[in-house]
Amino acid sequence: YKEKFVPAGQTTQLIVGASPENDRHILRLADSLYQTQKLKRVYYSGYVPIATDNRVPNLSAPPLVRENRIYQAAWLLRFYGFSVDEILDESQPDLDLEIDPKLGYALRHPENFPVDINRADYETILRVPGIGVKSAKKIVSSRRHQRLHLDHLQKIGVVLKRARYFI
C-alpha cells in the first residue's frame, strides 16, 4: 500500500556538522525515519559555513569523508541488516574516518570471524568485508552445487583483498 500523498516516496536531508550530534545520533535518527515514517531515502550533506552571514554558526566544515562514512553506514542499515548499535555504540559514537563501517564492525567483532562461506547463512556472509549483496546471494546459490574456494569467490565478484582476512 502506497500513500496517496507521496506515491513515489518521501525523502529528507540531514546536515552533518552544523550541530554537535555524533554519528550514532545521526544514524539513529535516520533509522527511525526509515522505520516510522517509511522514508524512501535520507540524504546527508556536510555543513558548509557561510562566512558573510553572522546569523549562522561560525563552524568549520566537517571532513568530506565523514559524510561518505555516514552514507556507507546508512547503506549497511538499509540493505545489509545491520543495526545502529552494531555499527556504533556509546564507547565509539563516531565513525572511523580511516576505514569503512563494515570493516570497522569486523575489526571490533573478531568473535564473529572467520566465516565459513560454505556453511554460514546469508546474513552472516553479508557481514564479511568485501562481500556485497549480489556476491552473498551468488555464494549461497553456488555452494549448493560445489564447495567454494577462493578462486570461486573471485569469479563471483568478492573483493578478496578485503574478504580473505575474514573467511
Side-chain angles (χ1 to χ4, degrees):
Y1 168 72
K2 287 191 175 190
E3 296 292 326
K4 291 180 182 179
F5 174 65
V6 284
Q10 184 70 28
T11 65
T12 193
Q13 181 176 19
L14 301 177
I15 306 300
V16 176
S19 55
E21 288 84 11
N22 59 41
D23 297 341
R24 184 173 186 233
H25 187 218
I26 291 167
L27 289 173
R28 280 187 177 277
L29 173 60
D31 192 46
S32 173
L33 290 170
Y34 282 122
Q35 301 303 318
T36 61
Q37 301 298 315
K38 307 297 183 212
L39 262 65
K40 184 158 182 102
R41 187 78 189 267
V42 176
Y43 293 93
Y44 308 92
S45 292
Y47 174 71
V48 178
I50 303 171
T52 58
D53 191 336
N54 61 3
R55 295 175 292 176
V56 296
N58 188 15
L59 303 170
S60 60
L64 183 58
V65 70
R66 181 178 179 205
E67 179 183 328
N68 186 311
R69 295 291 183 229
I70 291 172
Y71 268 114
Q72 290 172 327
W75 196 264
L76 294 178
L77 296 174
R78 293 175 62 210
F79 301 109
Y80 285 68
F82 280 78
S83 71
V84 174
D85 292 332
E86 289 177 300
I87 299 170
L88 295 169
D89 57 29
E90 288 182 26
S91 66
Q92 186 173 354
D94 289 307
L95 294 163
D96 188 327
L97 300 182
E98 300 298 318
I99 59 174
D100 72 77
K102 193 174 184 186
L103 178 58
Y105 165 83
L107 293 173
R108 284 191 317 280
H109 296 280
E111 70 277 7
N112 296 338
F113 300 95
V115 169
D116 182 348
I117 53 140
N118 286 295
R119 293 188 179 159
D121 61 23
Y122 171 76
E123 290 76 18
T124 302
I125 293 170
L126 271 180
R127 309 247 165 183
V128 176
I131 299 180
V133 172
K134 288 181 184 177
S135 294
K137 287 179 182 176
K138 287 179 183 177
I139 288 169
V140 171
S141 175
S142 298
R143 71 185 184 190
R144 291 184 205 154
H145 308 290
Q146 64 181 336
R147 184 163 177 78
L148 300 179
H149 301 286
L150 290 181
D151 56 327
H152 296 123
L153 295 179
Q154 190 167 21
K155 289 176 185 172
I156 285 173
V158 171
V159 181
L160 285 179
K161 183 172 136 183
R162 304 186 69 206
R164 73 175 49 233
Y165 304 104
F166 302 98
I167 56 176

